[in-house]
Amino acid sequence: MLRADEAIIEATLDLLAEGSSIETLSIEAIAARAGVGKATIYRRWPGKDALLIDALRRLKGIQPQPAGHSVRDDLVLLVGAVGHNIDPRAAKIMPCLVPEVNRSPDHFQLYQNIIEPRRKLMREVLRRGVATGELRADLDIELTMALLTGPMLIQRLLRWHPELDDRILPERIVDNVLDGIRTR
């Protein structure tokens, strides 16, 4: 049972990495690549979107869990996970998904379903910082999340500035944003 699940997820990611778009990816192609019947897939997932969510979540890896001791340290952990994928296929898959997410409301919603748990964690950390008085009471949580994640995502996805050191970039981003949102 677990072997079939793994084979199906791997086949989905392989096909995406090889250039299949979300639109052209079919349950038939996934089943053929995984060496299973279509019924095997449908017993596990109600449709292609549910399978894609699981496959792309696998691609993103395990969501980091903040320790809850320091707002700064928790934000560094979460920002460090932005755009960080343990699977090398992600470098081929993720850039190809951006146009599809922008073109299709269904694919946009699929993307939102994948990243919302990660955003929820960051919201919780920021709200905790406001509640403890570490961060300003008038903090715009959603804008702050964009300020924290945007630079990391653009650097990881596009290598926008090749001289930036990815190992310390999360700390630099968090420290610079915190300078503007801490209580004074």
Side-chain angles (χ1 to χ4, degrees):
M1 186 95 120
L2 191 55
R3 279 189 160 155
D5 291 0
E6 183 72 26
I8 293 164
I9 294 284
E10 289 298 312
T12 303
L13 292 174
D14 285 345
L15 289 166
L16 288 170
E18 291 166 9
S20 292
S21 69
I22 291 176
E23 288 295 327
T24 62
L25 187 67
S26 69
I27 294 296
E28 292 81 8
I30 296 167
R33 174 66 67 95
V36 300
K38 289 188 332 185
T40 302
I41 295 174
Y42 285 118
R43 275 195 297 275
R44 289 160 172 78
W45 292 277
K48 184 170 78 170
D49 284 350
L51 172 55
L52 280 169
I53 287 172
D54 283 353
L56 294 173
R57 278 191 182 130
R58 167 83 62 79
L59 192 65
K60 300 243 7 114
I62 296 171
Q63 184 171 293
Q65 294 301 312
H69 304 299
S70 158
V71 169
R72 179 197 179 274
D73 291 348
D74 289 349
L75 289 174
V76 169
L77 175 74
L78 295 174
V79 169
V82 171
H84 179 74
N85 301 293
I86 55 172
D87 190 315
R89 292 174 291 194
K92 293 179 181 175
I93 295 171
M94 298 312 275
C96 297
L97 293 181
V98 173
E100 293 192 47
V101 165
N102 287 326
R103 271 195 301 268
S104 162
D106 291 338
H107 297 155
F108 176 78
Q109 190 56 52
L110 178 77
Y111 170 73
Q112 295 302 315
N113 292 341
I114 292 167
I115 64 166
E116 182 53 33
R118 293 170 186 269
R119 282 197 306 241
K120 182 180 178 213
L121 268 179
M122 189 173 286
R123 268 187 214 103
E124 290 169 2
V125 170
L126 292 168
R127 286 183 181 131
R128 186 179 81 231
V130 169
T132 62
E134 293 174 70
L135 304 178
R136 295 185 349 219
D138 65 342
L139 182 66
D140 182 331
I141 301 282
E142 298 302 318
L143 178 59
T144 302
M145 291 188 340
L147 291 169
L148 288 165
T149 59
M152 195 77 231
L153 190 57
I154 196 128
Q155 180 64 19
R156 290 238 166 102
L157 211 61
L158 301 175
R159 295 287 306 149
W160 185 76
H161 194 301
E163 294 174 20
L164 289 175
D165 185 346
D166 272 6
R167 294 169 298 163
I168 60 169
L169 187 57
E171 289 180 54
R172 291 182 63 200
I173 291 169
V174 169
D175 289 340
N176 278 277
V177 172
L178 281 177
D179 282 346
I181 64 174
R182 280 195 180 106
T183 54
R184 301 203 192 297

